[in-house]
């Protein structure tokens, strides 16, 4: 009763200009009472200095229905648009075409389940991801906008091709710009290569080259040059627009490399880290010791394994850093599968990038210091990309003037007689299967006593996790034998005792070092 | 209003049909067959004469309270200063197309910095009396070729409370003049047919000092900082912002996609640049500086204000740039925003990235081409030439000098 009276008096106060109190006599006492209380509270709040009355009322009178946030939904309150505000009436008086939007109080609309919907959250995340991708494309890499990266890769079918080509492919797949991948294959187009590069998802131009890849590093280099020129001819014919870089299939590229080459204007050079390994662990160690000695004695002659542009203090190109091949003189690999250091050329192609417009026919805004590509004579021996230029001093050094090494040159190939399954798929399954002897499965029959020595050692070497039956334990302890933990009948361990243990350098589950030493 | 609607509809249609992505995909130009309206140069298209009013109407007020230069109503002061040194200014009033009266009615601030509009009607009235008695140009047209900058909450209604503002209506003496105001709401007493809506003043240097590199990824989906409930003036809730801000809070305070709170972080501008959508809901008045901030920082404005008229609505296609959400649809805001196709979002961002768009929202000192000052002049130029009926015959009087509440008639 008190509650409804409160509501109604509230309403009355709100409505006072519009309709006078209709039911005066019954409400007068209540109104007076509230008025007195209100005045009292006003006085108190004057003294205390905050809205005491309202707070008291809300705390005293608060019930679940008196929700501060949803007064309009109380059923006994009429819908707010129609009344409650005197200004509404004046609005109707002042303008004939009243605004749809009313001045007064509206409901605070809350939906029944004000929590996030997972489907919409996913949609929002997809939107965010798309926006960020667009941002990267437009503003990333210094805001240059993105130019297509044209990667030129000479390759041929061999054991390590899958290793190398997958590496290059995944690097190119990560590049945030458009990529055109020109793969030139020596020996013609093959299914092997096609099956690897087909998974890339970037645009691939697979070109066959009629020569077969020769067996020596030197000749291979020459053929690779011809293959690259073939690819450049493709760029010229198809009028591909972008930045041409040479992604040799065994090299490793960093992602910053692709960002940096976007800055090239016509012809640029980056520093390449040369990993001239020897393939022979001992020789590697020895050469490293030698190098350390050399460094102690002669400080200047440190063979930096870096090839690239050399700049002076004002960041202008003055020359080239070239890999120092002297330490490897006479010891470098000649044949592809030699166990010796593989040395790079004087200037490797992978360290150069060029604007594809250099290769186009029409001389539109092509600088004069660039030779006409169409007139290039391959038989004259094109060694490095600098042969494409009339004036090699116009090359732009990239990567803070060659100080950053952005890619690494490496040549690793398998032995000449190595074979690999075509497509790296084992089909049909392998013919030779060896049953696992020491498995938890009990149906493997025990070995007959006339087995050969090395088979014994092999089987013994594989004993790791089998439970020792108690008798055997005791036996072993008695005999001080190396614990061959097997679930085998007694005579097995007896055999251990009798036979001289073969030199077993494989896994040791030994219990006593004494026996270990004996055997060794 | 229908003229304006049809004009804007035609222009919008032209924008739709003629706008296409340029070869530079980074930004899209808001272009139409009428040319780039935002980049129009008003010099040569109109001449403005600035009255020399006594300093009690302008300079003295500013001297008393220099805070007037930095609050969001500072447009009136800067417009005056801009015109004084602009090439469109003419010293010969006979050849002027428009007349500017430099009065600063919003420069009467409380200690907390809010303007009191109670004396503004009297000030305007006394200024107009001065103008009409000292120069003959007011009486020629009864003010139809004069314009006044009234950037306060409800424009020339001169009150901060909407009910009272509607009661008063536009000052009767300004009925024929062109009003340059920030308030814009359709079918509202305080928006006259021929008014020019301008953005509220936001300090350009302050905003430009907080720019971050554009490749910082936008990771906040929806961003808002401000009040949801105004407990001082509207304790029960439901009046402030017509309940829309409170609805936003109640529906989305648990939603991680919505970064909304009442904080005042120092990284407010930087956070806006990391957001995709910025909410611009109405407050006590439908406009807010958030719109300017959102445009400058490339965040798509989500405008929750029914029937609002946005700045320079005849030059800027706001439908293509921002998202409009009806107040009753606020509970479904997340559904609405996530169902916008990504291509549309990217296009809006490209339009926002257009530098002429950002420039048009700002009042830089000194003035730069394409900024809000020039857009105001463009708007005035578009209203030329004056209709012949604007000029009154000698002795004809249209305005009622004694209309309005009695308190307004007291001299200032």
């Amino acid at each position: 009763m008190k509650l409804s009276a409160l509501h109604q008096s509230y309403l009355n106060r709100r409505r006072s200009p519009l309709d006078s109190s209709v039911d005066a006599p019954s409400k007068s006492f209540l109104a007076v009472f509230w008025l007195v209380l209100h005045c009292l509270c006003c006085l108190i709040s004057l003294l205390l200095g905050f809205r005491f009355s309202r707070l008291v009322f809300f705390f005293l009178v608060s019930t679940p229905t008196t929700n501060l946030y949803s007064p309009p939904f109380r059923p006994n309150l009429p819908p707010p648009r129609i009344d409650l505000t005197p200004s509404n009436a004046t609005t109707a008086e002042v303008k004939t075409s009243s605004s749809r939007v009313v001045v007064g109080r509206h409901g605070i609309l809350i939906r029944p389940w004000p929590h996030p919907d997972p489907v919409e959250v996913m949609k929002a995340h997809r939107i965010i991801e798309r926006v960020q991708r667009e941002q990267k494309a437009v503003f990333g890499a210094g805001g240059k906008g993105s130019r297509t990266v044209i990667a030129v890769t000479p390759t041929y079918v061999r054991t390590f091709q899958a290793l190398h080509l997958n590496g290059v492919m995944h690097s190119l797949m990560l590049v945030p710009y458009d990529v055109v991948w020109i793969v030139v294959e020596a020996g013609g187009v093959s299914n092997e290569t096609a099956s690897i590069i087909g998974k890339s998802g970037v645009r691939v131009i697979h070109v066959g080259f009629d020569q077969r890849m020769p067996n020596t590093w030197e000749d291979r280099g020459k053929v690779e040059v011809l293959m690259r020129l073939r690819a450049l001819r493709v760029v010229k014919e198809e009028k591909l627009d972008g930045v041409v870089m040479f992604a040799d299939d065994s090299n490793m590229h960093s992602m910053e490399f692709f960002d940096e080459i976007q800055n090239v204007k016509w012809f640029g050079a980056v520093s390449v880290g040369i990993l001239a390994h020897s393939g022979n662990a001992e020789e590697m160690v020895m050469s490293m010791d030698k190098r350390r000695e050399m460094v102690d004695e002669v400080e200047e002659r440190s063979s930096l394994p870096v090839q690239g542009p050399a700049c002076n203090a004002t960041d202008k190109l003055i020359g080239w850093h070239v890999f120092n091949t002297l330490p490897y003189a006479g010891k470098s690999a000649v044949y592809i599968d030699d166990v010796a250091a593989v040395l790079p050329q004087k200037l490797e192609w992978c360290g150069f990038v060029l604007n594809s417009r250099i290769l186009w026919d029409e001389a539109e805004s092509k600088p004069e210091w660039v030779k006409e590509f169409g007139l290039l004579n391959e038989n004259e021996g094109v060694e490095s990309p600098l042969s494409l230029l009339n004036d090699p001093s116009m090359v732009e050094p990239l990567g803070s003037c060659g100080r950053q090494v952005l890619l690494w040159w490496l040549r690793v190939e398998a032995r000449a007689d190595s074979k690999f399954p075509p497509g790296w798929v084992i089909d049909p399954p392998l013919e030779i299967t060896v049953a696992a002897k020491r498995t938890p499965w009990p149906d493997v029959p025990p070995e007959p006593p006339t087995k050969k020595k090395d088979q014994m050692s092999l089987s013994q070497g594989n004993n790791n996790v089998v439970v020792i039956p108690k008798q055997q334990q005791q036996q072993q302890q008695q005999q001080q034998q190396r614990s061959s933990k097997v679930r085998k009948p007694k005579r097995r361990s007896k055999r251990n005792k009798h036979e001289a243990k073969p030199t077993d350098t494989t896994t040791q589950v030994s219990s006593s070092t004494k026996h270990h030493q004996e055997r060794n | 209003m229908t003229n304006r609607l049809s004009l804007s509809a035609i222009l919008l249609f032209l924008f739709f049909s003629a706008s296409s992505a340029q070869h530079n995909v980074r930004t899209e130009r808001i272009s139409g067959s009428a040319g780039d309206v935002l980049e129009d140069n008003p010099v040569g298209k109109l001449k403005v004469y600035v009255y020399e009013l006594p300093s009690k109407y302008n300079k003295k007020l500013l001297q008393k309270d220099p805070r007037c230069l930095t609050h969001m109503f500072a447009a009136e002061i800067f417009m005056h200063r801009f015109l004084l040194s602009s090439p469109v200014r003419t010293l010969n009033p006979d050849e002027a197309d428009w007349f500017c009266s430099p009065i600063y009615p919003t420069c009467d601030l409380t200690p907390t910095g809010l303007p009191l509009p109670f004396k503004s009607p009297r000030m305007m009235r006394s200024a107009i009396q001065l103008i009409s008695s000292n120069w003959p140009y007011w009486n020629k047209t009864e003010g139809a070729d004069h314009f006044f900058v009234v950037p306060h909450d409800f424009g020339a209604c001169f009150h901060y409370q909407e009910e009272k503002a509607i009661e008063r209506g536009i000052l009767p003496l300004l009925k024929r003049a062109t009003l340059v105001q920030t308030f814009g709401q359709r079918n509202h007493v305080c928006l006259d047919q021929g008014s020019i809506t301008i953005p509220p003043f936001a300090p350009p240097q302050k905003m430009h000092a907080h720019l971050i590199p554009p490749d910082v990824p936008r990771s906040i989906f929806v961003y808002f900082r401000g009040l949801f409930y105004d407990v001082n003036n509207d304790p029960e809730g439901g009046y402030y912002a017509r309940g829309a801000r409170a609805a936003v809070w109640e529906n989305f305070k648990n939603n991680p996609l919505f970064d909304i709170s009442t904080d005042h972080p120092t990284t407010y501008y930087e956070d806006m640049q990391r957001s995709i959508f910025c909410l611009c809901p109405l407050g006590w008045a439908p406009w807010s500086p958030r719109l300017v901030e959102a445009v400058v920082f490339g965040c798509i404005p989500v405008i929750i204000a029914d029937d609002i008229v946005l700045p320079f609505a005849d030059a800027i296609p706001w439908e293509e740039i921002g998202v409009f959400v009806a107040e009753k649809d606020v509970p479904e805001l997340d559904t609405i925003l996530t169902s916008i196709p990504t291509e549309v979002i990217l296009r809006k961002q490209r339009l926002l990235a257009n530098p002429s768009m950002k420039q048009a929202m700002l009042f830089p000192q000194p003035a730069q081409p394409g900024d809000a000052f020039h857009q105001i002049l463009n708007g005035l130029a578009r209203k030329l030439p004056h209709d012949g009926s604007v000029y009154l015959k000698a002795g004809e009087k249209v305005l009622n000098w004694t209309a309005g509440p009695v308190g307004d008639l007291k001299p200032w």
Side-chain angles (χ1 to χ4, degrees):
Chain A
M1 203 288 242
K2 198 178 175 191
L3 197 55
S4 58
L6 170 65
H7 291 333
Q8 283 185 335
S9 68
Y10 193 70
L11 276 175
N12 278 344
R13 263 188 287 144
R14 285 309 211 153
R15 268 202 209 129
S16 48
L18 285 183
D19 50 62
S20 51
S21 52
V22 180
D23 31 6
S26 62
K27 293 283 187 293
S28 60
F29 169 69
L30 223 54
V32 166
F33 170 70
W34 282 116
L35 206 59
V36 164
L37 202 55
H38 187 73
C39 285
L40 193 64
C41 291
C42 279
L43 281 170
I44 298 175
S45 59
L46 264 177
L47 291 173
L48 292 177
F50 60 93
R51 288 196 201 171
F52 178 65
S53 57
R54 229 183 263 261
L55 269 174
V56 166
F57 278 142
F58 278 131
F59 283 141
L60 285 179
V61 182
S62 73
T63 66
T65 61
T66 315
N67 187 352
L68 274 176
Y69 297 150
S70 58
F73 292 124
R74 272 180 284 174
N76 44 5
L77 251 190
R81 276 186 186 236
I82 299 178
D83 68 352
L84 276 189
T85 56
S87 59
N88 225 342
T90 54
T91 319
E93 287 165 17
V94 165
K95 291 184 67 65
T96 47
S97 65
S98 67
S99 160
R100 284 189 310 125
V101 186
V102 294
V103 171
R105 160 193 296 224
H106 285 199
I108 300 173
L109 303 166
I110 306 175
R111 64 188 194 199
W113 177 246
H115 290 283
D117 176 12
V119 172
E120 278 162 14
V121 172
M122 271 321 294
K123 274 200 243 177
H125 279 290
R126 268 187 222 114
I127 292 176
I128 295 176
E129 191 206 350
R130 180 71 187 86
V131 166
Q132 288 183 357
R133 222 171 350 132
E134 183 75 16
Q135 269 185 283
K136 192 152 198 276
V138 171
F139 296 113
K144 289 275 175 315
S146 48
R147 291 150 81 181
T148 310
V149 170
I150 302 170
V152 170
T153 303
T155 184
Y156 67 106
V157 176
R158 74 261 194 213
T159 308
F160 278 20
Q161 183 199 33
L163 169 72
H164 297 316
L165 213 53
N166 268 302
V168 172
M169 182 170 83
H170 282 91
S171 298
L172 291 177
M173 280 158 76
L174 281 176
V175 170
Y177 313 105
D178 291 329
V179 171
V180 175
W181 193 16
I182 304 180
V183 179
V184 185
E185 188 176 350
V189 170
S190 75
N191 282 338
E192 280 288 328
T193 319
S195 64
I196 299 177
I197 62 181
K199 298 181 227 158
S200 65
V202 302
R203 180 178 161 200
V204 180
I205 302 177
H206 193 177
V207 179
F209 191 72
D210 287 330
Q211 266 186 296
R212 291 202 54 196
M213 194 61 93
N215 217 5
T216 61
W217 286 110
E218 199 185 318
D219 292 335
R220 175 175 157 170
K222 293 200 180 98
V223 173
E224 277 181 0
V225 168
L226 293 176
M227 288 159 79
R228 291 186 190 110
L229 292 176
R230 176 80 181 79
L232 292 182
R233 215 171 306 129
V234 170
V235 172
K236 175 169 115 99
E237 279 155 21
E238 308 245 346
K239 278 206 154 35
L240 297 176
D241 190 17
V243 179
V244 178
M245 41 90 57
F246 299 100
D248 297 344
D249 58 3
S250 50
N251 288 356
M252 171 57 81
H253 312 86
S254 71
M255 285 298 119
E256 289 80 20
F257 174 63
F258 296 103
D259 290 335
E260 186 65 26
I261 63 176
Q262 295 278 321
N263 299 333
V264 77
K265 262 183 60 194
W266 289 111
F267 202 98
V270 294
S271 289
V272 182
I274 301 293
L275 304 172
H277 78 110
S278 62
N280 185 349
E282 289 181 17
E283 201 180 302
M284 212 35 200
V285 168
M286 277 162 50
S287 72
M288 269 180 58
D289 289 336
K290 236 204 250 170
R291 206 173 296 137
R292 226 174 284 136
E293 288 169 18
M294 273 175 59
V295 164
D296 290 339
E297 296 164 0
V298 182
E299 273 203 41
E300 303 110 30
R301 205 90 53 77
S302 54
S303 59
L304 271 178
V306 167
Q307 216 180 65
C311 298
N312 64 3
T314 58
D315 283 348
K316 290 187 80 63
L317 182 72
I318 52 171
W320 302 97
H321 286 301
V322 166
F323 185 67
N324 185 4
T325 57
L326 286 182
Y328 298 90
K331 287 184 288 182
S332 69
V334 173
Y335 290 95
I336 285 189
D337 54 353
D338 274 354
V339 179
V342 182
L343 298 181
Q345 307 284 331
K346 273 263 159 47
L347 283 174
E348 280 290 332
W349 280 70
C350 54
F352 293 92
V353 291
L354 41 127
N355 187 344
S356 65
R357 286 174 194 249
I358 285 184
L359 308 165
W360 290 5
D361 262 334
E362 306 96 47
E364 37 162 87
S365 70
K366 212 165 35 169
E368 311 81 42
W369 41 267
V370 170
K371 278 193 203 155
E372 188 65 45
F373 179 66
L375 308 174
L376 193 69
N377 188 353
E378 292 167 14
N379 300 328
E380 280 174 357
V382 178
E383 247 197 33
S384 81
L386 293 180
S387 334
L388 294 173
L389 304 179
N390 281 326
D391 183 7
S393 69
M394 298 299 289
V395 176
E396 305 150 38
L398 299 173
S400 52
C401 209
R403 276 178 226 117
Q404 289 174 327
V405 172
L406 298 170
L407 72 156
W408 292 269
W409 177 97
L410 174 67
R411 291 284 182 264
V412 177
E413 295 299 342
R415 288 162 53 119
D417 58 349
S418 71
K419 293 191 185 14
F420 64 99
W424 288 97
V425 169
I426 304 173
D427 181 31
L430 296 172
E431 291 167 6
I432 303 173
T433 47
V434 179
K437 297 272 180 347
R438 294 281 175 261
T439 63
W441 300 309
D443 24 299
V444 176
E447 284 180 17
T450 53
K451 271 285 162 58
K452 283 186 290 205
K453 252 199 209 173
D454 39 359
Q455 274 199 345
M456 281 268 285
S457 68
L458 185 67
S459 47
Q460 290 229 328
N462 288 345
N463 50 10
N464 279 335
V465 283
V466 185
V467 176
I468 309 170
K470 207 154 190 194
Q471 327 118 299
Q472 286 197 346
Q473 258 182 341
Q474 287 169 351
Q475 277 191 345
Q476 282 165 11
Q477 277 166 6
Q478 281 170 13
Q479 295 159 15
Q480 291 258 316
Q481 274 289 336
R482 184 184 121 203
S483 60
S484 43
K485 300 180 170 65
V486 298
R487 266 191 286 117
K488 286 292 171 206
K490 270 189 204 170
R491 55 192 178 105
R492 187 94 182 93
S493 32
K494 279 209 190 108
R495 186 148 302 110
N496 287 348
K497 192 176 77 170
H498 289 297
E499 288 197 18
K501 275 305 269 145
T503 55
D504 192 349
T505 55
T506 53
T507 63
Q508 310 304 319
V509 198
S510 61
S511 50
S512 57
T513 52
K514 192 169 61 153
H515 288 279
H516 195 87
Q517 282 167 359
E518 265 179 293
R519 281 184 219 111
N520 286 349
Chain B
M1 197 56 206
T2 48
N3 278 345
R4 186 155 295 277
L5 266 176
S6 59
L7 180 65
S8 59
I10 290 171
L11 277 169
L12 275 175
F13 174 73
L14 287 172
F15 291 142
F16 270 118
S17 60
S19 73
S20 57
Q22 306 282 318
H23 67 274
N24 177 13
V25 279
R26 212 148 49 90
T27 66
E28 237 177 87
R29 295 161 72 76
I30 308 165
S31 59
S33 70
D36 273 11
V37 186
L38 283 181
E39 290 173 21
D40 278 351
N41 192 356
V43 174
K45 293 200 187 145
L46 79 166
K47 293 213 183 304
V48 178
Y49 177 74
V50 185
Y51 285 123
E52 293 275 336
L53 289 181
S55 59
K56 71 170 179 172
Y57 293 105
N58 32 53
K59 289 207 189 66
K60 282 231 182 81
L61 294 171
L62 197 53
Q63 269 168 2
K64 241 187 349 179
D65 197 346
R67 285 179 302 175
C68 293
L69 279 174
T70 47
H71 67 176
M72 50 182 152
F73 309 107
E76 54 190 6
I77 304 172
F78 290 119
M79 191 68 194
H80 176 211
R81 290 192 183 175
F82 163 69
L83 282 172
L84 285 177
S85 52
S86 157
V88 303
R89 181 191 185 190
T90 166
L91 298 168
N92 178 8
D94 287 315
E95 61 169 16
D97 300 309
W98 287 100
F99 294 84
C100 169
S101 334
I103 317 168
Y104 304 160
T106 22
C107 202
D108 184 11
L109 303 183
T110 64
T112 51
L114 297 171
L116 290 173
F118 304 121
K119 295 205 200 125
S120 314
R122 289 162 53 199
M123 183 161 87
M124 289 300 273
R125 214 187 132 76
S126 94
I128 293 174
Q129 272 172 339
L130 195 72
I131 290 172
S132 62
S133 49
N134 288 2
W135 288 276
Y137 307 102
W138 177 271
N139 292 330
K140 262 205 231 168
T141 58
E142 292 268 86
D145 53 357
H146 290 58
F147 71 90
F148 295 86
V149 182
V150 279
H152 194 244
D153 285 351
F154 289 97
C157 294
F158 291 121
H159 210 279
Y160 54 83
Q161 264 192 355
E162 194 173 356
E163 305 162 7
K164 299 265 169 56
I166 294 179
E167 243 181 83
R168 303 177 57 96
I170 298 182
L171 198 67
L173 291 177
L174 296 175
K175 280 252 155 50
R176 287 170 63 89
T178 294
L179 296 172
V180 180
Q181 56 189 56
T182 49
F183 171 75
Q185 189 172 307
R186 285 192 275 273
N187 299 326
H188 199 277
V189 187
C190 298
L191 180 67
D192 196 18
Q193 286 280 9
S195 302
I196 297 176
T197 22
I198 60 171
F201 176 75
Q205 301 94 324
K206 193 161 160 228
M207 289 201 283
H208 286 137
H210 286 270
L211 284 176
I212 61 177
D215 59 345
V216 172
R218 286 187 188 264
S219 46
I220 302 174
F221 194 59
V222 177
Y223 188 77
F224 177 75
R225 289 287 183 272
L227 290 177
F228 300 100
Y229 295 95
D230 189 352
V231 280
N232 294 324
N233 300 318
D234 175 34
E236 298 104 13
Y239 270 107
Y240 180 55
R242 294 196 277 269
R245 287 196 185 196
V248 168
W249 173 252
E250 295 305 327
N251 281 302
F252 301 112
K253 59 187 177 191
N254 296 320
N255 196 326
L257 295 172
F258 283 67
D259 187 353
I260 55 180
S261 87
T262 50
D263 284 345
H264 285 272
T266 44
T267 54
Y268 175 61
Y269 289 145
E270 285 86 350
D271 289 341
M272 270 190 143
Q273 293 170 74
R274 289 197 303 119
S275 324
I276 301 183
F277 291 105
C278 288
L279 294 185
C280 304
L282 71 163
W284 286 113
W287 57 270
S288 99
R290 282 188 188 84
L291 183 69
V292 177
E293 289 159 358
V295 170
V296 169
F297 294 129
C299 180
I300 301 176
V302 179
I303 297 153
I304 309 174
D306 287 347
D307 280 346
I308 187 174
V309 175
L310 289 174
F312 306 127
D314 51 345
I316 299 177
W318 286 106
E319 284 284 341
E320 299 190 23
I321 291 169
V323 180
F324 287 84
V325 177
E327 286 167 31
K328 65 173 173 40
D329 291 332
V330 164
E332 278 96 46
L333 190 60
D334 54 350
T335 316
I336 295 173
L337 291 180
T338 51
S339 59
I340 303 177
T342 20
E343 284 316 308
V344 173
I345 293 180
L346 291 176
R347 176 151 191 272
K348 286 186 202 278
Q349 290 194 318
R350 278 198 293 268
L351 285 169
L352 279 171
N354 194 354
S356 64
M357 177 74 209
K358 296 187 209 271
Q359 191 75 313
M361 289 282 116
L362 295 174
F363 293 92
Q365 258 77 43
Q368 287 160 15
D371 64 7
F373 300 118
H374 291 87
Q375 303 304 331
I376 297 173
L377 291 178
N378 281 336
L380 289 171
R382 282 195 283 271
K383 295 183 82 173
L384 291 175
H386 290 297
D387 197 20
S389 61
V390 143
Y391 294 100
L392 305 172
K393 303 182 208 18
E396 192 182 339
K397 287 256 178 269
V398 176
L399 289 180
N400 183 354
W401 283 78
T402 51
V406 180
D408 286 355
L409 301 174
K410 281 197 273 208
W412 185 72

